């Protein structure tokens, strides 16, 4: 009886160990090319200034960087940070309210410029000043 118990335990251990498949290691994917990401974060409720930041950013990108948008050298990412699927991205950039970032992606490195304060100071009342500074920041990131 003792022998049967030992054989049963051994069979269970072997079955448990042999049924587990080792997963192949996943290779870390590297971006195929460098790019600049413009990220505009917003919540559900949006004020006039918040809307102007998005609007002016889109106008700038479409007028000055259309070719870069087309070839994905520049990517615009408009993110509602109140959505559960966007929580990780908002946390990464420590976003708790509407924000504007220009992020340079070079290989696996990222360099983010936070333009939020400037955007709120200028976008609504001085849109040309806003666009000029965002354009300058994007051009620096493209270098």
């Amino acid at each position: 009886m003792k022998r049967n118990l030992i054989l049963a335990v051994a069979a269970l251990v072997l079955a448990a160990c042999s049924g587990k498949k080792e997963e192949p290691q996943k290779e870390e994917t590297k971006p195929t090319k460098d790019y600049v990401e413009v990220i505009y974060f917003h919540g559900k409720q949006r004020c006039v200034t918040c809307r102007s930041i998005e609007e002016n950013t889109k106008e700038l990108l479409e007028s000055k960087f259309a070719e870069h948008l087309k070839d994905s050298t520049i990517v615009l990412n408009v993110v509602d940070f109140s959505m559960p699927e966007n929580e990780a991205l908002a946390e990464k950039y420590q976003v708790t309210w509407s924000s504007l970032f220009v992020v340079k992606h070079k290989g696996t490195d990222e360099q983010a410029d936070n333009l939020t304060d400037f955007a709120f100071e200028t976008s609504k009342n001085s849109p040309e000043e806003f666009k000029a500074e965002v354009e300058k920041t994007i051009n620096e990131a493209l270098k």
Side-chain angles (χ1 to χ4, degrees), residues 84-124:
E85 61 269 20
N86 297 326
E87 285 178 7
L89 188 61
E91 189 174 305
K92 176 180 178 180
Y93 291 98
Q94 300 176 348
V95 169
T96 57
W97 63 304
S98 295
S99 302
L100 180 65
F101 288 84
V102 174
V103 183
K104 179 179 184 174
H105 295 271
K106 187 170 178 94
T108 57
D109 295 331
E110 289 183 12
Q111 179 184 342
D113 285 316
N114 185 344
L115 300 176
T116 303
D117 290 340
F118 175 79
F120 273 90
E121 291 169 7
T122 60
S123 182
K124 183 175 174 269

Side-chain angles (χ1 to χ4, degrees), residues 75-90:
V75 176
L76 174 62
N77 194 1
V78 178
V79 179
D80 182 344
F81 63 82
S82 66
M83 303 293 288
E85 61 269 20
N86 297 326
E87 285 178 7
L89 188 61

